[in-house]
């Protein structure tokens, strides 16, 4: 078992395999997971309960693809905020905009970074206008995502936290340079 400093929850190989299985097949069920992993059903349930209680597993809900709902445009918007009001009131107002699917306080030239979705570029302009109208937002700068090269993922982190030595090494490039 690998213990990470900074208050991290230690996990082992069984935890990592369990998380991997439920990530790949969220509806697998505890009994089937226990059969596939070769451990008792009670062990699987106890592990899942502990991982959820410790905050490692944040939920078991479905993963939603915004594009399948008609929101095919993804953009990242950096906001500059009026310093007097703080981040929390702005975040609370942004949470009321359905197309804002993520927001982070950041360092650097901006104050907050939002991931937003829209139905089209024209709709993206509408969403950005709504965001800029939020009290406390002074300026917005956006970039449109053209393609997702690496989708949101956490399994490599789980494997690294469990001590998998291959988890932190990049795969070898087997392509040949033709130039």
């Amino acid at each position: 078992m690998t213990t990470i400093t900074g208050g991290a929850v230690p996990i082992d190989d069984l935890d990592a395999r369990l998380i991997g299985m439920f990530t790949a097949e969220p509806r697998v069920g505890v009994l089937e997971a226990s059969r596939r992993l070769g451990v008792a059903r009670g062990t699987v349930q106890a592990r899942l309960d502990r991982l959820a209680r410790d905050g490692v597993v944040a939920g078991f809900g479905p993963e939603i693809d915004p594009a399948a709902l008609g929101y095919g445009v993804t953009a990242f918007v950096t906001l500059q905020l009026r310093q007097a009001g703080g981040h929390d009131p702005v975040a609370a107002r942004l949470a009321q905009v359905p197309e804002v699917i993520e927001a982070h306080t950041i360092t650097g030239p901006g104050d907050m970074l939002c991931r937003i979705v829209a139905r089209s570029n024209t709709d993206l302009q509408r969403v950005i206008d709504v965001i800029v109208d939020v009290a406390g937002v002074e300026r917005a700068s956006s970039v449109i995502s053209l393609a997702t090269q690496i989708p949101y993922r956490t399994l490599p982190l789980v494997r690294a936290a469990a001590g998998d030595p291959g988890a932190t090494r990049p795969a070898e490039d087997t392509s040949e340079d033709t130039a």
Side-chain angles (χ1 to χ4, degrees):
M1 187 178 302
T2 301
T3 302
I4 313 266
T5 59
V9 177
I11 65 170
D12 61 16
D13 181 61
L14 179 58
D15 291 330
R17 291 187 298 139
L18 185 62
I19 292 168
M21 181 179 296
F22 275 92
T23 299
E25 300 176 69
R27 296 168 54 171
V28 69
V30 173
L31 185 59
E32 179 62 16
S34 69
R35 185 186 68 72
R36 290 186 195 178
L37 294 171
V39 297
R41 181 193 176 286
T43 299
V44 169
Q45 189 63 61
R47 295 285 184 120
L48 287 173
D49 291 345
R50 178 181 53 80
L51 291 166
R53 182 191 69 238
D54 292 346
V56 173
V57 173
F60 293 94
E63 187 176 324
I64 306 300
D65 179 2
L69 295 174
Y71 294 89
V73 176
T74 298
F76 296 90
V77 180
T78 303
L79 304 177
Q80 291 180 357
L81 307 181
R82 188 170 38 257
Q83 297 301 310
H87 296 88
D88 293 343
V90 172
R93 290 181 199 102
L94 290 174
Q96 302 303 310
V97 180
E99 295 88 354
V100 176
I101 59 175
E102 203 171 359
H104 301 267
T105 301
I106 59 172
T107 61
D111 299 306
M112 190 173 285
L113 179 66
C114 301
R115 181 165 55 136
I116 65 173
V117 294
R119 295 185 182 278
S120 65
N121 286 348
T122 301
D123 189 44
L124 177 61
Q125 181 62 61
R126 178 195 59 81
V127 174
I128 291 171
D129 290 344
V130 168
I131 291 170
V132 172
D133 277 347
V134 168
V137 174
E138 289 187 344
R139 184 176 181 339
S141 173
S142 62
V143 293
I144 297 174
S145 172
L146 298 177
T148 301
Q149 299 298 326
I150 300 173
Y152 179 80
R153 66 203 180 119
T154 55
L155 283 181
L157 291 174
V158 169
R159 291 182 184 118
D164 180 352
T168 57
R169 287 193 307 252
E172 284 190 34
D173 185 1
T174 58
S175 63
E176 293 185 28
D177 191 0
T178 59

